[in-house]
Each structure stands twice: as structure tokens, then as C-alpha cells.
Amino acid sequence: MRKDLFNLGPVFGYFFRKNDPNRPTNFNLRTMHFINKLSLAMFLVGFLVLLYRWFIR
């Protein structure tokens, strides 16, 4: 079994990384990253709501 299968470091690093001056930026790329972050955050909130409904109520 691979040890790095459940490595979530890159996922959290995606949210909290700083801007790299060597990477090109334009409106489309910034918009894509914003939509990706928003969709991941919405998924996590929905998942937490499901966990709350299953285990707390």
C-alpha cells in the first residue's frame, strides 16, 4: 500500500499558498483558481453538514 495515498498536504497547501512571481497570471487563470477553491469549500461545508446530520441528530 502506498503511504502517500492519503497525503492531504497539497490539498491544504492549495488554499494557503502564496503567489509565485514566476507563474504567469491572467484573468482566466485567477478565475479558474477562485472557482476551484469555492467548489472545494462548498463541498467541505456540505460534507460537514452531512456528518452533523448523521451523527449528532
Side-chain angles (χ1 to χ4, degrees):
M1 180 170 211
R2 295 177 50 181
K3 291 184 179 183
D4 61 341
L5 187 61
F6 294 104
N7 186 7
L8 297 178
V11 174
F12 293 117
Y14 180 75
F15 281 102
F16 302 113
R17 68 179 174 198
K18 295 180 181 173
N19 290 337
D20 186 5
N22 296 327
R23 286 189 177 164
T25 63
N26 58 23
F27 176 75
N28 293 333
L29 191 61
R30 286 193 312 256
T31 305
M32 180 196 68
H33 283 291
F34 173 74
I35 291 172
N36 284 344
K37 289 178 184 179
L38 182 63
S39 65
L40 280 171
M42 289 175 66
F43 172 78
L44 290 175
V45 168
F47 188 68
L48 290 174
V49 168
L50 284 177
L51 287 176
Y52 172 75
R53 288 183 180 176
W54 286 338
F55 294 112
I56 303 299
R57 289 172 71 184

